[in-house]
């Protein structure tokens, strides 16, 4: 009977294969969770619009509201980041809410906003089959606004702080849309 010789290269290769298989299983588990409708803060985040946390145990309606809110919020933040694409927000907002956004946008002028906004979704309230609210903490402390000439025009009263914001979503035409936003507090919430 012969005893196999220890081959460190083969052992390292087997270990690497196991690691790769584990990483692949983890990635496919995340993809399966997403396909099954499981939503995570990470799956909702983009490079400039980071969702830091979401409530646990949301039901189907609350999950749909959450996804619609995050999509709306990301689209509107991209408008402020690039000063383009205002039309992309229109299908995500009620007519009245879009009008308010458009007026703010038109008064802003050319320029850009740089940095990352971090959003903690604290609660999703389903008040009826056609109305819901999302309570968030929006950390804008990393953001800097520039005018068309590249001059810093950040207003610390409206940017660069942490804001507790309540967003009302209405189910209209088969889509959850932003219908109202109000800032409840400044500097008190945590992301």
């Amino acid at each position: 009977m012969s005893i196999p010789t220890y081959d460190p290269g083969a052992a390292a290769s087997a270990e690497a294969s196991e690691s790769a298989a584990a990483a692949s299983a983890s990635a496919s588990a995340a993809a399966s969770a997403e396909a099954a409708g499981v939503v995570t803060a990470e799956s909702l985040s983009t490079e400039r619009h980071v969702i830091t946390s979401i409530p646990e145990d949301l039901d189907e309606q609350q999950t749909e509201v959450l996804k619609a809110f995050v999509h709306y919020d990301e689209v509107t933040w991209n408008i402020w980041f690039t000063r383009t694409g205002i039309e992309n927000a229109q299908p995500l907002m009620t007519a009245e809410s879009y009008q308010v956004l458009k007026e703010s946008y038109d008064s802003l002028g050319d320029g850009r906003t740089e940095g990352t906004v971090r959003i903690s979704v604290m609660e999703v309230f389903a008040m009826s089959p056609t109305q819901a609210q999302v309570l968030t903490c929006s950390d804008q402390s990393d953001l800097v606004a520039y005018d068309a000439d590249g001059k810093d025009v950040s207003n610390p009263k409206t940017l660069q702080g942490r804001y507790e914001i309540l967003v009302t979503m209405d189910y209209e035409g088969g889509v959850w849309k932003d219908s109202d936003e109000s800032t409840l507090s400044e500097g008190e919430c945590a992301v």
Side-chain angles (χ1 to χ4, degrees), residues 7-75:
D7 180 349
S13 174
E15 203 172 288
S17 294
E18 285 174 24
S19 292
S24 175
S26 174
S28 68
S32 297
E34 189 67 32
V38 176
V39 176
T40 64
E42 187 177 61
S43 72
L44 295 170
S45 296
T46 63
E47 189 175 329
R48 294 188 297 199
H49 186 263
V50 176
I51 305 301
T52 60
S53 65
I54 59 174
E56 294 180 13
D57 302 324
L58 297 178
D59 66 22
E60 188 177 333
Q61 180 183 346
Q62 290 170 313
T63 300
E64 290 307 309
V65 170
L66 171 68
K67 290 178 356 188
F69 160 74
V70 170
H71 180 60
Y72 147 77
D73 201 52
E74 180 189 335
V75 167

Side-chain angles (χ1 to χ4, degrees), residues 120-131:
S120 170
V121 179
M122 299 184 292
E123 296 284 343
V124 178
F125 307 101
M127 289 136 36
S128 77
T130 58
Q131 191 171 62

Side-chain angles (χ1 to χ4, degrees), residues 96-129:
E96 300 81 15
S97 187
Y98 178 72
Q99 193 56 44
V100 170
L101 176 75
K102 184 137 177 32
E103 287 168 10
S104 290
Y105 175 80
D106 290 344
S107 69
L108 197 56
D110 292 337
R112 69 189 188 285
T113 301
E114 291 186 357
T116 301
V117 62
R118 289 174 177 75
I119 311 288
S120 170
V121 179
M122 299 184 292
E123 296 284 343
V124 178
F125 307 101
M127 289 136 36
S128 77

